[in-house]
Amino acid sequence: MDKKTEEFYDRLKVELDMSNTWPALYLFKFIVPTENDNVERVELAFDCMGAVIKTTKSKTGKFTSVSVDVQMKSSQEIIDKYLEVSTIEGIVSL
């Protein structure tokens, strides 16, 4: 992980800890290319966590937005999940 990315996640952790009491419900939002198994890979990352997952395809069908509502135990667990899904090609975290 480069220094800029590391600084981003450090700031995110501080902000999450200041604005939440753990465990807390957290909403992840992603945009992924619809091709291949990208949407399925995002869904699998949250498998067995009791997550509520909603997907919406873009008008052209090239991209799919994925919203994931899930109970998270800590800010570090959220960051770990962002890092896990960052390996999916073309994913954008919002």
Side-chain angles (χ1 to χ4, degrees), residues 18-51:
M18 286 175 48
S19 62
N20 292 286
T21 305
W22 305 106
L25 195 60
Y26 188 77
L27 175 62
F28 290 89
K29 288 188 173 188
F30 307 104
I31 297 175
V32 293
T34 303
E35 63 197 25
N36 303 327
D37 61 347
N38 291 333
V39 174
E40 184 181 342
R41 288 180 62 196
V42 173
E43 291 173 346
L44 284 172
F46 293 92
D47 196 29
C48 299
M49 292 181 68

PDB file of all heavy atoms in Angstrom, residues 18-51:
ATOM      1  N   MET A  18     -14.709   8.527  15.544  1.00  0.00           N
ATOM      2  CA  MET A  18     -15.297   9.727  16.140  1.00  0.00           C
ATOM      3  C   MET A  18     -16.812   9.768  15.945  1.00  0.00           C
ATOM      4  O   MET A  18     -17.525  10.336  16.774  1.00  0.00           O
ATOM      5  CB  MET A  18     -14.657  10.986  15.550  1.00  0.00           C
ATOM      6  CG  MET A  18     -13.257  11.223  16.067  1.00  0.00           C
ATOM      7  SD  MET A  18     -12.407  12.618  15.290  1.00  0.00           S
ATOM      8  CE  MET A  18     -13.608  13.912  15.352  1.00  0.00           C
ATOM      9  N   SER A  19     -17.311   9.177  14.854  1.00  0.00           N
ATOM     10  CA  SER A  19     -18.737   9.309  14.536  1.00  0.00           C
ATOM     11  C   SER A  19     -19.569   8.064  14.821  1.00  0.00           C
ATOM     12  O   SER A  19     -20.769   8.064  14.562  1.00  0.00           O
ATOM     13  CB  SER A  19     -18.894   9.707  13.062  1.00  0.00           C
ATOM     14  OG  SER A  19     -18.365   8.687  12.230  1.00  0.00           O
ATOM     15  N   ASN A  20     -18.957   7.005  15.353  1.00  0.00           N
ATOM     16  CA  ASN A  20     -19.700   5.772  15.601  1.00  0.00           C
ATOM     17  C   ASN A  20     -19.388   5.185  16.958  1.00  0.00           C
ATOM     18  O   ASN A  20     -18.319   5.399  17.521  1.00  0.00           O
ATOM     19  CB  ASN A  20     -19.347   4.712  14.540  1.00  0.00           C
ATOM     20  CG  ASN A  20     -19.852   5.082  13.174  1.00  0.00           C
ATOM     21  OD1 ASN A  20     -21.030   5.002  12.904  1.00  0.00           O
ATOM     22  ND2 ASN A  20     -18.947   5.496  12.302  1.00  0.00           N
ATOM     23  N   THR A  21     -20.348   4.403  17.455  1.00  0.00           N
ATOM     24  CA  THR A  21     -20.154   3.564  18.625  1.00  0.00           C
ATOM     25  C   THR A  21     -20.236   2.141  18.124  1.00  0.00           C
ATOM     26  O   THR A  21     -21.194   1.774  17.451  1.00  0.00           O
ATOM     27  CB  THR A  21     -21.258   3.827  19.671  1.00  0.00           C
ATOM     28  OG1 THR A  21     -21.280   5.214  19.985  1.00  0.00           O
ATOM     29  CG2 THR A  21     -21.015   3.029  20.921  1.00  0.00           C
ATOM     30  N   TRP A  22     -19.222   1.347  18.417  1.00  0.00           N
ATOM     31  CA  TRP A  22     -19.137  -0.003  17.841  1.00  0.00           C
ATOM     32  C   TRP A  22     -19.780  -1.039  18.745  1.00  0.00           C
ATOM     33  O   TRP A  22     -19.681  -0.911  19.940  1.00  0.00           O
ATOM     34  CB  TRP A  22     -17.667  -0.354  17.571  1.00  0.00           C
ATOM     35  CG  TRP A  22     -17.040   0.686  16.708  1.00  0.00           C
ATOM     36  CD1 TRP A  22     -16.148   1.635  17.095  1.00  0.00           C
ATOM     37  CD2 TRP A  22     -17.291   0.921  15.320  1.00  0.00           C
ATOM     38  NE1 TRP A  22     -15.831   2.436  16.040  1.00  0.00           N
ATOM     39  CE2 TRP A  22     -16.517   2.023  14.944  1.00  0.00           C
ATOM     40  CE3 TRP A  22     -18.090   0.312  14.366  1.00  0.00           C
ATOM     41  CZ2 TRP A  22     -16.512   2.532  13.646  1.00  0.00           C
ATOM     42  CZ3 TRP A  22     -18.093   0.809  13.083  1.00  0.00           C
ATOM     43  CH2 TRP A  22     -17.316   1.912  12.737  1.00  0.00           C
ATOM     44  N   PRO A  23     -20.433  -2.040  18.143  1.00  0.00           N
ATOM     45  CA  PRO A  23     -20.652  -2.266  16.711  1.00  0.00           C
ATOM     46  C   PRO A  23     -21.664  -1.268  16.146  1.00  0.00           C
ATOM     47  O   PRO A  23     -22.470  -0.719  16.878  1.00  0.00           O
ATOM     48  CB  PRO A  23     -21.191  -3.699  16.647  1.00  0.00           C
ATOM     49  CG  PRO A  23     -21.775  -3.955  17.988  1.00  0.00           C
ATOM     50  CD  PRO A  23     -21.019  -3.095  18.969  1.00  0.00           C
ATOM     51  N   ALA A  24     -21.600  -1.061  14.827  1.00  0.00           N
ATOM     52  CA  ALA A  24     -22.477  -0.096  14.173  1.00  0.00           C
ATOM     53  C   ALA A  24     -22.875  -0.591  12.782  1.00  0.00           C
ATOM     54  O   ALA A  24     -22.130  -1.333  12.145  1.00  0.00           O
ATOM     55  CB  ALA A  24     -21.773   1.247  14.055  1.00  0.00           C
ATOM     56  N   LEU A  25     -24.039  -0.140  12.331  1.00  0.00           N
ATOM     57  CA  LEU A  25     -24.490  -0.432  10.975  1.00  0.00           C
ATOM     58  C   LEU A  25     -23.711   0.478  10.027  1.00  0.00           C
ATOM     59  O   LEU A  25     -23.577   1.676  10.290  1.00  0.00           O
ATOM     60  CB  LEU A  25     -25.990  -0.175  10.859  1.00  0.00           C
ATOM     61  CG  LEU A  25     -26.695  -0.753   9.650  1.00  0.00           C
ATOM     62  CD1 LEU A  25     -26.564  -2.269   9.624  1.00  0.00           C
ATOM     63  CD2 LEU A  25     -28.163  -0.374   9.657  1.00  0.00           C
ATOM     64  N   TYR A  26     -23.174  -0.079   8.952  1.00  0.00           N
ATOM     65  CA  TYR A  26     -22.376   0.702   7.999  1.00  0.00           C
ATOM     66  C   TYR A  26     -22.849   0.407   6.585  1.00  0.00           C
ATOM     67  O   TYR A  26     -23.173  -0.734   6.263  1.00  0.00           O
ATOM     68  CB  TYR A  26     -20.885   0.359   8.142  1.00  0.00           C
ATOM     69  CG  TYR A  26     -19.992   1.261   7.336  1.00  0.00           C
ATOM     70  CD1 TYR A  26     -19.693   2.547   7.759  1.00  0.00           C
ATOM     71  CD2 TYR A  26     -19.466   0.833   6.125  1.00  0.00           C
ATOM     72  CE1 TYR A  26     -18.881   3.386   7.013  1.00  0.00           C
ATOM     73  CE2 TYR A  26     -18.649   1.668   5.368  1.00  0.00           C
ATOM     74  CZ  TYR A  26     -18.365   2.946   5.822  1.00  0.00           C
ATOM     75  OH  TYR A  26     -17.568   3.772   5.068  1.00  0.00           O
ATOM     76  N   LEU A  27     -22.893   1.441   5.760  1.00  0.00           N
ATOM     77  CA  LEU A  27     -23.313   1.301   4.371  1.00  0.00           C
ATOM     78  C   LEU A  27     -22.105   1.437   3.453  1.00  0.00           C
ATOM     79  O   LEU A  27     -21.482   2.497   3.382  1.00  0.00           O
ATOM     80  CB  LEU A  27     -24.357   2.365   4.003  1.00  0.00           C
ATOM     81  CG  LEU A  27     -24.808   2.407   2.549  1.00  0.00           C
ATOM     82  CD1 LEU A  27     -25.488   1.098   2.137  1.00  0.00           C
ATOM     83  CD2 LEU A  27     -25.753   3.579   2.315  1.00  0.00           C
ATOM     84  N   PHE A  28     -21.747   0.344   2.804  1.00  0.00           N
ATOM     85  CA  PHE A  28     -20.702   0.352   1.786  1.00  0.00           C
ATOM     86  C   PHE A  28     -21.361   0.610   0.447  1.00  0.00           C
ATOM     87  O   PHE A  28     -22.441   0.070   0.176  1.00  0.00           O
ATOM     88  CB  PHE A  28     -20.013  -1.021   1.697  1.00  0.00           C
ATOM     89  CG  PHE A  28     -19.151  -1.384   2.869  1.00  0.00           C
ATOM     90  CD1 PHE A  28     -19.682  -2.049   3.965  1.00  0.00           C
ATOM     91  CD2 PHE A  28     -17.795  -1.083   2.869  1.00  0.00           C
ATOM     92  CE1 PHE A  28     -18.885  -2.417   5.032  1.00  0.00           C
ATOM     93  CE2 PHE A  28     -16.990  -1.446   3.943  1.00  0.00           C
ATOM     94  CZ  PHE A  28     -17.537  -2.107   5.022  1.00  0.00           C
ATOM     95  N   LYS A  29     -20.719   1.410  -0.402  1.00  0.00           N
ATOM     96  CA  LYS A  29     -21.219   1.627  -1.768  1.00  0.00           C
ATOM     97  C   LYS A  29     -20.070   1.440  -2.747  1.00  0.00           C
ATOM     98  O   LYS A  29     -18.987   1.993  -2.554  1.00  0.00           O
ATOM     99  CB  LYS A  29     -21.801   3.034  -1.921  1.00  0.00           C
ATOM    100  CG  LYS A  29     -23.107   3.227  -1.207  1.00  0.00           C
ATOM    101  CD  LYS A  29     -23.706   4.569  -1.560  1.00  0.00           C
ATOM    102  CE  LYS A  29     -25.092   4.699  -0.987  1.00  0.00           C
ATOM    103  NZ  LYS A  29     -25.763   5.906  -1.483  1.00  0.00           N
ATOM    104  N   PHE A  30     -20.337   0.645  -3.772  1.00  0.00           N
ATOM    105  CA  PHE A  30     -19.331   0.360  -4.786  1.00  0.00           C
ATOM    106  C   PHE A  30     -19.949   0.469  -6.171  1.00  0.00           C
ATOM    107  O   PHE A  30     -21.149   0.273  -6.336  1.00  0.00           O
ATOM    108  CB  PHE A  30     -18.795  -1.078  -4.632  1.00  0.00           C
ATOM    109  CG  PHE A  30     -18.296  -1.413  -3.266  1.00  0.00           C
ATOM    110  CD1 PHE A  30     -19.050  -2.193  -2.414  1.00  0.00           C
ATOM    111  CD2 PHE A  30     -17.059  -0.963  -2.827  1.00  0.00           C
ATOM    112  CE1 PHE A  30     -18.593  -2.519  -1.148  1.00  0.00           C
ATOM    113  CE2 PHE A  30     -16.594  -1.281  -1.558  1.00  0.00           C
ATOM    114  CZ  PHE A  30     -17.362  -2.061  -0.719  1.00  0.00           C
ATOM    115  N   ILE A  31     -19.101   0.743  -7.148  1.00  0.00           N
ATOM    116  CA  ILE A  31     -19.477   0.642  -8.557  1.00  0.00           C
ATOM    117  C   ILE A  31     -18.472  -0.301  -9.187  1.00  0.00           C
ATOM    118  O   ILE A  31     -17.257  -0.135  -9.000  1.00  0.00           O
ATOM    119  CB  ILE A  31     -19.463   2.010  -9.260  1.00  0.00           C
ATOM    120  CG1 ILE A  31     -20.507   2.931  -8.635  1.00  0.00           C
ATOM    121  CG2 ILE A  31     -19.715   1.842 -10.765  1.00  0.00           C
ATOM    122  CD1 ILE A  31     -20.492   4.346  -9.166  1.00  0.00           C
ATOM    123  N   VAL A  32     -18.980  -1.319  -9.892  1.00  0.00           N
ATOM    124  CA  VAL A  32     -18.101  -2.295 -10.534  1.00  0.00           C
ATOM    125  C   VAL A  32     -18.526  -2.490 -11.983  1.00  0.00           C
ATOM    126  O   VAL A  32     -19.700  -2.353 -12.311  1.00  0.00           O
ATOM    127  CB  VAL A  32     -18.123  -3.667  -9.820  1.00  0.00           C
ATOM    128  CG1 VAL A  32     -17.517  -3.574  -8.444  1.00  0.00           C
ATOM    129  CG2 VAL A  32     -19.512  -4.243  -9.745  1.00  0.00           C
ATOM    130  N   PRO A  33     -17.571  -2.800 -12.866  1.00  0.00           N
ATOM    131  CA  PRO A  33     -17.950  -3.178 -14.221  1.00  0.00           C
ATOM    132  C   PRO A  33     -18.819  -4.438 -14.149  1.00  0.00           C
ATOM    133  O   PRO A  33     -18.513  -5.358 -13.383  1.00  0.00           O
ATOM    134  CB  PRO A  33     -16.614  -3.480 -14.907  1.00  0.00           C
ATOM    135  CG  PRO A  33     -15.586  -2.752 -14.089  1.00  0.00           C
ATOM    136  CD  PRO A  33     -16.120  -2.770 -12.691  1.00  0.00           C
ATOM    137  N   THR A  34     -19.909  -4.467 -14.889  1.00  0.00           N
ATOM    138  CA  THR A  34     -20.850  -5.580 -14.830  1.00  0.00           C
ATOM    139  C   THR A  34     -20.240  -6.875 -15.346  1.00  0.00           C
ATOM    140  O   THR A  34     -20.637  -7.959 -14.940  1.00  0.00           O
ATOM    141  CB  THR A  34     -22.140  -5.226 -15.622  1.00  0.00           C
ATOM    142  OG1 THR A  34     -22.671  -4.016 -15.069  1.00  0.00           O
ATOM    143  CG2 THR A  34     -23.184  -6.307 -15.505  1.00  0.00           C
ATOM    144  N   GLU A  35     -19.233  -6.771 -16.217  1.00  0.00           N
ATOM    145  CA  GLU A  35     -18.619  -7.956 -16.820  1.00  0.00           C
ATOM    146  C   GLU A  35     -17.990  -8.891 -15.794  1.00  0.00           C
ATOM    147  O   GLU A  35     -17.763  -8.528 -14.646  1.00  0.00           O
ATOM    148  CB  GLU A  35     -17.562  -7.524 -17.832  1.00  0.00           C
ATOM    149  CG  GLU A  35     -16.429  -6.769 -17.174  1.00  0.00           C
ATOM    150  CD  GLU A  35     -15.586  -5.975 -18.149  1.00  0.00           C
ATOM    151  OE1 GLU A  35     -16.088  -5.606 -19.217  1.00  0.00           O
ATOM    152  OE2 GLU A  35     -14.430  -5.716 -17.818  1.00  0.00           O
ATOM    153  N   ASN A  36     -17.688 -10.099 -16.241  1.00  0.00           N
ATOM    154  CA  ASN A  36     -17.067 -11.148 -15.432  1.00  0.00           C
ATOM    155  C   ASN A  36     -17.896 -11.436 -14.184  1.00  0.00           C
ATOM    156  O   ASN A  36     -19.110 -11.390 -14.218  1.00  0.00           O
ATOM    157  CB  ASN A  36     -15.616 -10.791 -15.090  1.00  0.00           C
ATOM    158  CG  ASN A  36     -14.779 -10.554 -16.329  1.00  0.00           C
ATOM    159  OD1 ASN A  36     -14.996 -11.179 -17.354  1.00  0.00           O
ATOM    160  ND2 ASN A  36     -13.831  -9.643 -16.251  1.00  0.00           N
ATOM    161  N   ASP A  37     -17.234 -11.712 -13.101  1.00  0.00           N
ATOM    162  CA  ASP A  37     -17.936 -12.059 -11.865  1.00  0.00           C
ATOM    163  C   ASP A  37     -17.752 -10.983 -10.796  1.00  0.00           C
ATOM    164  O   ASP A  37     -17.781 -11.274  -9.605  1.00  0.00           O
ATOM    165  CB  ASP A  37     -17.430 -13.419 -11.354  1.00  0.00           C
ATOM    166  CG  ASP A  37     -15.935 -13.396 -11.031  1.00  0.00           C
ATOM    167  OD1 ASP A  37     -15.255 -12.425 -11.429  1.00  0.00           O
ATOM    168  OD2 ASP A  37     -15.459 -14.342 -10.391  1.00  0.00           O
ATOM    169  N   ASN A  38     -17.590  -9.736 -11.224  1.00  0.00           N
ATOM    170  CA  ASN A  38     -17.290  -8.642 -10.293  1.00  0.00           C
ATOM    171  C   ASN A  38     -18.353  -8.468  -9.215  1.00  0.00           C
ATOM    172  O   ASN A  38     -18.032  -8.339  -8.032  1.00  0.00           O
ATOM    173  CB  ASN A  38     -17.096  -7.327 -11.049  1.00  0.00           C
ATOM    174  CG  ASN A  38     -15.828  -7.330 -11.874  1.00  0.00           C
ATOM    175  OD1 ASN A  38     -14.877  -8.028 -11.558  1.00  0.00           O
ATOM    176  ND2 ASN A  38     -15.814  -6.563 -12.939  1.00  0.00           N
ATOM    177  N   VAL A  39     -19.627  -8.449  -9.601  1.00  0.00           N
ATOM    178  CA  VAL A  39     -20.707  -8.250  -8.635  1.00  0.00           C
ATOM    179  C   VAL A  39     -20.729  -9.419  -7.649  1.00  0.00           C
ATOM    180  O   VAL A  39     -20.842  -9.228  -6.438  1.00  0.00           O
ATOM    181  CB  VAL A  39     -22.071  -8.102  -9.349  1.00  0.00           C
ATOM    182  CG1 VAL A  39     -23.206  -8.032  -8.336  1.00  0.00           C
ATOM    183  CG2 VAL A  39     -22.079  -6.866 -10.242  1.00  0.00           C
ATOM    184  N   GLU A  40     -20.582 -10.623  -8.160  1.00  0.00           N
ATOM    185  CA  GLU A  40     -20.571 -11.813  -7.310  1.00  0.00           C
ATOM    186  C   GLU A  40     -19.408 -11.772  -6.315  1.00  0.00           C
ATOM    187  O   GLU A  40     -19.563 -12.155  -5.153  1.00  0.00           O
ATOM    188  CB  GLU A  40     -20.474 -13.067  -8.179  1.00  0.00           C
ATOM    189  CG  GLU A  40     -20.551 -14.358  -7.392  1.00  0.00           C
ATOM    190  CD  GLU A  40     -20.433 -15.592  -8.269  1.00  0.00           C
ATOM    191  OE1 GLU A  40     -20.627 -15.486  -9.496  1.00  0.00           O
ATOM    192  OE2 GLU A  40     -20.135 -16.657  -7.709  1.00  0.00           O
ATOM    193  N   ARG A  41     -18.264 -11.286  -6.746  1.00  0.00           N
ATOM    194  CA  ARG A  41     -17.097 -11.201  -5.848  1.00  0.00           C
ATOM    195  C   ARG A  41     -17.350 -10.216  -4.705  1.00  0.00           C
ATOM    196  O   ARG A  41     -16.936 -10.471  -3.570  1.00  0.00           O
ATOM    197  CB  ARG A  41     -15.846 -10.818  -6.636  1.00  0.00           C
ATOM    198  CG  ARG A  41     -15.346 -11.964  -7.521  1.00  0.00           C
ATOM    199  CD  ARG A  41     -14.118 -11.606  -8.297  1.00  0.00           C
ATOM    200  NE  ARG A  41     -12.997 -11.287  -7.411  1.00  0.00           N
ATOM    201  CZ  ARG A  41     -11.908 -10.651  -7.800  1.00  0.00           C
ATOM    202  NH1 ARG A  41     -11.767 -10.256  -9.056  1.00  0.00           N
ATOM    203  NH2 ARG A  41     -10.939 -10.402  -6.943  1.00  0.00           N
ATOM    204  N   VAL A  42     -18.037  -9.099  -4.993  1.00  0.00           N
ATOM    205  CA  VAL A  42     -18.385  -8.155  -3.926  1.00  0.00           C
ATOM    206  C   VAL A  42     -19.353  -8.836  -2.953  1.00  0.00           C
ATOM    207  O   VAL A  42     -19.173  -8.766  -1.735  1.00  0.00           O
ATOM    208  CB  VAL A  42     -19.012  -6.861  -4.497  1.00  0.00           C
ATOM    209  CG1 VAL A  42     -19.521  -5.975  -3.366  1.00  0.00           C
ATOM    210  CG2 VAL A  42     -18.006  -6.093  -5.346  1.00  0.00           C
ATOM    211  N   GLU A  43     -20.355  -9.506  -3.497  1.00  0.00           N
ATOM    212  CA  GLU A  43     -21.333 -10.186  -2.650  1.00  0.00           C
ATOM    213  C   GLU A  43     -20.667 -11.252  -1.782  1.00  0.00           C
ATOM    214  O   GLU A  43     -20.981 -11.381  -0.596  1.00  0.00           O
ATOM    215  CB  GLU A  43     -22.439 -10.805  -3.508  1.00  0.00           C
ATOM    216  CG  GLU A  43     -23.337  -9.762  -4.161  1.00  0.00           C
ATOM    217  CD  GLU A  43     -24.325 -10.339  -5.152  1.00  0.00           C
ATOM    218  OE1 GLU A  43     -24.178 -11.518  -5.563  1.00  0.00           O
ATOM    219  OE2 GLU A  43     -25.263  -9.607  -5.520  1.00  0.00           O
ATOM    220  N   LEU A  44     -19.730 -11.997  -2.341  1.00  0.00           N
ATOM    221  CA  LEU A  44     -19.035 -13.042  -1.588  1.00  0.00           C
ATOM    222  C   LEU A  44     -18.187 -12.470  -0.447  1.00  0.00           C
ATOM    223  O   LEU A  44     -18.006 -13.117   0.589  1.00  0.00           O
ATOM    224  CB  LEU A  44     -18.157 -13.880  -2.512  1.00  0.00           C
ATOM    225  CG  LEU A  44     -18.897 -14.901  -3.382  1.00  0.00           C
ATOM    226  CD1 LEU A  44     -17.949 -15.541  -4.395  1.00  0.00           C
ATOM    227  CD2 LEU A  44     -19.572 -15.953  -2.537  1.00  0.00           C
ATOM    228  N   ALA A  45     -17.672 -11.248  -0.642  1.00  0.00           N
ATOM    229  CA  ALA A  45     -16.864 -10.611   0.403  1.00  0.00           C
ATOM    230  C   ALA A  45     -17.685 -10.355   1.668  1.00  0.00           C
ATOM    231  O   ALA A  45     -17.138 -10.254   2.769  1.00  0.00           O
ATOM    232  CB  ALA A  45     -16.263  -9.305  -0.111  1.00  0.00           C
ATOM    233  N   PHE A  46     -19.014 -10.250   1.513  1.00  0.00           N
ATOM    234  CA  PHE A  46     -19.893  -9.975   2.649  1.00  0.00           C
ATOM    235  C   PHE A  46     -20.751 -11.181   3.014  1.00  0.00           C
ATOM    236  O   PHE A  46     -21.684 -11.068   3.803  1.00  0.00           O
ATOM    237  CB  PHE A  46     -20.782  -8.762   2.335  1.00  0.00           C
ATOM    238  CG  PHE A  46     -20.008  -7.489   2.223  1.00  0.00           C
ATOM    239  CD1 PHE A  46     -19.534  -7.061   0.990  1.00  0.00           C
ATOM    240  CD2 PHE A  46     -19.705  -6.731   3.341  1.00  0.00           C
ATOM    241  CE1 PHE A  46     -18.800  -5.890   0.871  1.00  0.00           C
ATOM    242  CE2 PHE A  46     -18.972  -5.561   3.237  1.00  0.00           C
ATOM    243  CZ  PHE A  46     -18.520  -5.139   2.004  1.00  0.00           C
ATOM    244  N   ASP A  47     -20.426 -12.346   2.444  1.00  0.00           N
ATOM    245  CA  ASP A  47     -21.171 -13.572   2.699  1.00  0.00           C
ATOM    246  C   ASP A  47     -21.089 -13.951   4.177  1.00  0.00           C
ATOM    247  O   ASP A  47     -20.060 -13.762   4.819  1.00  0.00           O
ATOM    248  CB  ASP A  47     -20.604 -14.700   1.821  1.00  0.00           C
ATOM    249  CG  ASP A  47     -21.547 -15.876   1.723  1.00  0.00           C
ATOM    250  OD1 ASP A  47     -22.768 -15.674   1.822  1.00  0.00           O
ATOM    251  OD2 ASP A  47     -21.053 -17.000   1.536  1.00  0.00           O
ATOM    252  N   CYS A  48     -22.174 -14.460   4.716  1.00  0.00           N
ATOM    253  CA  CYS A  48     -22.251 -14.921   6.112  1.00  0.00           C
ATOM    254  C   CYS A  48     -22.079 -13.790   7.129  1.00  0.00           C
ATOM    255  O   CYS A  48     -21.666 -14.036   8.266  1.00  0.00           O
ATOM    256  CB  CYS A  48     -21.235 -16.030   6.381  1.00  0.00           C
ATOM    257  SG  CYS A  48     -21.498 -17.485   5.382  1.00  0.00           S
ATOM    258  N   MET A  49     -22.345 -12.556   6.733  1.00  0.00           N
ATOM    259  CA  MET A  49     -22.237 -11.433   7.667  1.00  0.00           C
ATOM    260  C   MET A  49     -23.606 -10.818   7.961  1.00  0.00           C
ATOM    261  O   MET A  49     -23.695  -9.827   8.671  1.00  0.00           O
ATOM    262  CB  MET A  49     -21.307 -10.347   7.092  1.00  0.00           C
ATOM    263  CG  MET A  49     -19.856 -10.771   6.994  1.00  0.00           C
ATOM    264  SD  MET A  49     -18.801  -9.455   6.348  1.00  0.00           S
ATOM    265  CE  MET A  49     -18.864  -8.259   7.684  1.00  0.00           C
ATOM    266  N   GLY A  50     -24.661 -11.374   7.372  1.00  0.00           N
ATOM    267  CA  GLY A  50     -26.004 -10.820   7.562  1.00  0.00           C
ATOM    268  C   GLY A  50     -26.212  -9.521   6.811  1.00  0.00           C
ATOM    269  O   GLY A  50     -27.052  -8.709   7.190  1.00  0.00           O
ATOM    270  N   ALA A  51     -25.470  -9.314   5.746  1.00  0.00           N
ATOM    271  CA  ALA A  51     -25.541  -8.071   4.974  1.00  0.00           C
ATOM    272  C   ALA A  51     -26.791  -8.022   4.093  1.00  0.00           C
ATOM    273  O   ALA A  51     -27.239  -9.040   3.579  1.00  0.00           O
ATOM    274  CB  ALA A  51     -24.306  -7.934   4.096  1.00  0.00           C
TER     275      ALA A  51
END
